[in-house]
Amino acid sequence: MKLDCWVVRDLLPLYVENMVSEQTAEQIKQHLAECPACQREYDSFGSTSRLDVLDTPAEFPQTDAKPFRKVLRKLNRQMHGLAYGLIIFFILWGFSLTGGEDLMYNSVIMPIVGLFGYYVFKWKALYKMPLLLLIINFLAYHLRFAQIDLVSVFPWTAIYSIFVVVGVLIAFLLHFAFRKERKE
Ligand SMILES: [Zn+2]
């Protein structure tokens, strides 16, 4: 039995979606092979339905992206705030060890401060962190966090700055390596 064009066109939407019986599909396939007009109709169907498929997933992230990005930005801000707090805490803690027995802990604490510094300030951490270190160390000195004299604040800050800068450079290299890996 040969199908009429109008029957085929009526069935095309179902055929495209695979919602016709096997026999009907066979008939339509035969008809399409012999009828260029219906084949063209089918082709346009195929392309639009394929576009639909492409459009749908693209639209979902688009509509979802805004609130998601908002949440991400808010989270990022909170993480920065947290990192900032940790920087101040670690500097205070490290400086309070100055002149004590646990002084050497600073060879670990200060690079960690540098890691957080890079996270918050990126490459600007290279000068912002030593500055922050100096300010906080002065405050810490005035609050009597460390048992040292005022003149010693400068050399200790300079020494700690070197460790902090090492931490910043490590963070930069890690960041650089990860970004390169993601690109490849
Ligand atoms: Zn036809």
Side-chain angles (χ1 to χ4, degrees):
M1 182 198 97
K2 281 218 158 199
L3 290 176
D4 285 317
C5 282
W6 60 268
V7 177
V8 170
R9 308 248 170 132
D10 269 357
L11 289 173
L12 270 182
L14 295 173
Y15 176 70
V16 167
E17 303 291 340
N18 255 332
M19 285 168 72
V20 291
S21 70
E22 235 171 84
Q23 293 100 311
T24 311
E26 195 53 47
Q27 294 276 332
I28 292 172
K29 209 184 278 176
Q30 264 177 33
H31 181 95
L32 290 178
E34 294 161 8
C35 176
C38 285
Q39 177 65 44
R40 261 200 303 282
E41 190 77 10
Y42 169 70
D43 284 343
S44 70
F45 239 111
S47 61
T48 48
S49 79
R50 239 175 282 132
L51 267 181
D52 282 345
V53 171
L54 282 176
D55 274 351
T56 347
E59 250 165 77
F60 273 113
Q62 241 169 33
T63 47
D64 281 346
K66 257 188 186 166
F68 182 66
R69 231 179 287 152
K70 229 181 203 170
V71 168
L72 213 65
R73 218 179 296 146
K74 199 177 163 194
L75 198 71
N76 202 32
R77 257 206 309 271
Q78 282 171 345
M79 291 303 279
H80 271 172
L82 184 69
Y84 217 119
L86 283 172
I87 286 170
I88 294 170
F89 169 77
F90 276 118
I91 292 176
L92 281 174
W93 181 33
F95 190 71
S96 73
L97 303 177
T98 309
E101 283 174 12
D102 297 328
L103 172 67
M104 289 317 286
Y105 283 134
N106 275 320
S107 59
V108 178
I109 294 171
M110 291 303 158
I112 290 172
V113 167
L115 292 177
F116 284 122
Y118 179 77
Y119 176 67
V120 175
F121 301 120
K122 293 291 171 295
W123 65 268
K124 285 179 185 162
L126 285 178
Y127 68 88
K128 283 195 175 178
M129 289 309 290
L131 212 66
L132 197 64
L133 213 57
L134 189 65
I135 293 166
I136 294 174
N137 286 353
F138 255 116
L139 275 173
Y141 166 78
H142 281 292
L143 293 171
R144 298 262 158 242
F145 273 9
Q147 301 304 316
I148 56 170
D149 53 62
L150 182 58
V151 189
S152 304
V153 172
F154 291 103
W156 281 116
T157 299
I159 292 165
Y160 293 157
S161 291
I162 293 168
F163 282 103
V164 167
V165 165
V166 166
V168 171
L169 291 177
I170 290 170
F172 170 75
L173 287 175
L174 284 176
H175 185 200
F176 186 74
F178 272 119
R179 204 165 43 183
K180 209 175 165 193
E181 206 167 84
R182 225 180 295 153
K183 264 183 198 164
E184 276 164 6

